Amino acid sequence: MKTDYLIVGSGLSALVFGSLMANTGKKVQVLESHEHPGGFGHTFTMAKKYKFNAQLHYVWDCGEGQTVNRVLKKLNLDKEVTFERYEPDGFDRMRIPGYSLNIPSESQELIWRLSNIFPQDAKQIRKFILEVDKTSEGLKILSPPIIPSELLKHITQVSCAITYLNSTLQDVFNKFKLPQEAQTLLALQWPDFLLPPDQLSFYAWVILFTSYQKGAFYPTQHFEYVINSLVKVIEENGGEVLLNFEVTNFILSNQMVTGVRAINKINRQNYEFSAETIICNIDPQKAAQMIGIEKFSTKIRKKLNYEYSPSNYMAYCVVKDIDLRDYGFGKWNTFHAGHRDLNEAFYQMYEKHDFSNPSFAITTPTLMTNNQRDCPEGCQIIEFLTVANYDYFNQLKQTNKKAYRQKKEEILNSILDVVEKNYIPDLRKYLVFKITGSPTTNERFCLCPKGNSYGSNLTPKNMAISRLNHETSLKNFYFCNASSGYPGFAATFWTGAILYQKLSGDVILSK
């Protein structure tokens, strides 16, 4: 039986698309170069007892009737793939010298909290938060599928959103004249984007910020169960998810992609796979180079000319004989900055590689759910995340591996110094395991060019109407990944579901 859909890569958007198609009876085959499915959403085990998710930390759009929930309902998974909600009264906890803010779900409460901290700027703070909400509503109306009658009905919100098409978050901070410390408290979740306010698209920030306000979530049985559940749907409906198969080239005939060539990384043998339709989950730029960029239309070539997002540094740690809840951690994330200017903080770490005063995120997945523990009893996982420059780390690794390892350790020690001073005294005494990942780790395990974390960079240029989508100009060949949709858990669910709707005619996501 010939495969209906051959999917190259098993990132989350691809698994969503594949599971939806398999659920309708289509023959689906997925090729994945890694030993685990899920792309950046994969889970790995260390020391045979500690489980860490590669990059996912918390997610949105998982509530009843929202994107993730609708897809799971379509797959009959909504009763078993469930989510725990972060603390609505403070799902993100922002900490800078002299100031702290717990971000609440309610905008009016956020206005009140910020106004109490900065009473002389209360009027501008209120205007800014209300503008954020209005822009968020406008962006929803402008997201596919666009309904003309809705545009007219919500013309005020739509006009507001269009106003900021080319704006960075810093541009809008400046427009509303927010004090520097208020800007930093509002933008301190910048490790979610790996961009500072003066580079980050206002659209990208609004989408993430307001979406988490509506509900920040963590999977009840951790991210591994979500990935495995989607794989199971594919396999139980006659499909295959083949691991350790790295695609080396695409097979074309008369402007039509008919299949791929791949190598099995275990036995080193070469294989060919074909299908009626090819879905490309690997980086679109990388795929276009393999195929030949000249084979794409001028319009698509222009959209493929995006810059990659920065990469990140991760530290995966395990503590024992200590309860992190006693030190202010729980069902929320903590974001810390020693600087009051995030643009300067980013510059020091990303351009100068100076982590002596780090800005970073802290997440504690063990505290999010009591189901399916990610580590043995008596232990808890704590993870740290910040930005890192791929070119710098790649050069270190290529020229001086000892210096590469020392730099990773130096960054972790800088972070631990801050954590011990401000949050958990003597944390190092309780550490029983630690492992760090750099941009080259991302490149090695997820095959992402330059170790990028989000595909195309989340700048205004890359978030505009010229952003790449599933269209490729080649017959029976479609893109389906973070750069041809949007990055993040919920956004990749949306990307996979939208392509499914396009090719099947079955509407899951409607406004």
Side-chain angles (χ1 to χ4, degrees), residues 459-503:
T459 57
K461 176 186 173 184
N462 289 328
M463 290 293 290
I465 54 177
S466 60
R467 186 178 177 85
L468 187 70
N469 60 20
H470 57 265
E471 296 174 350
T472 69
S473 76
L474 300 180
K475 296 177 183 177
N476 299 346
F477 182 65
Y478 299 90
F479 293 134
C480 183
N481 96 324
S483 295
S484 61
Y486 292 97
F489 183 87
T492 46
F493 258 76
W494 180 88
T495 298
I498 287 293
L499 183 56
Y500 165 78
Q501 289 185 177
K502 165 77 175 176
L503 300 186

Side-chain angles (χ1 to χ4, degrees), residues 104-233:
S105 291
E106 293 295 329
S107 290
Q108 291 300 326
E109 177 64 19
L110 176 60
I111 292 170
W112 184 84
R113 290 181 186 183
L114 277 170
S115 297
N116 271 354
I117 301 172
F118 309 101
Q120 70 278 16
D121 300 287
K123 185 177 179 181
Q124 292 306 110
I125 287 168
R126 179 177 182 80
K127 285 182 178 179
F128 174 81
I129 299 299
L130 294 180
E131 190 84 342
V132 167
D133 287 345
K134 193 189 299 183
T135 303
S136 174
E137 291 303 312
L139 288 174
K140 282 183 198 168
I141 305 301
L142 290 168
S143 66
I146 295 176
I147 304 169
S149 60
E150 289 293 301
L151 291 176
L152 294 172
K153 185 178 176 182
H154 300 280
I155 191 64
T156 302
Q157 294 90 333
V158 169
S159 298
C160 177
I162 292 174
T163 299
Y164 299 111
L165 177 64
N166 299 310
S167 299
T168 65
L169 175 57
Q170 189 64 56
D171 289 335
V172 188
F173 280 155
N174 293 343
K175 175 182 176 179
F176 286 87
K177 297 181 171 59
L178 295 192
Q180 181 63 63
E181 292 81 2
Q183 295 178 29
T184 302
L185 290 171
L186 284 166
L188 201 52
Q189 75 294 93
W190 74 269
D192 289 338
F193 308 98
L194 301 172
L195 282 182
D198 65 2
Q199 295 182 44
L200 177 64
S201 161
F202 182 59
Y203 283 180
W205 182 83
V206 165
I207 291 167
L208 180 138
F209 189 86
T210 59
S211 294
Y212 276 137
Q213 280 188 303
K214 292 178 178 65
F217 296 91
Y218 186 89
T220 304
Q221 299 183 69
H222 299 283
F223 287 104
E224 183 177 36
Y225 188 76
V226 181
I227 299 295
N228 289 344
S229 296
L230 296 173
V231 170
K232 187 178 177 183
V233 170

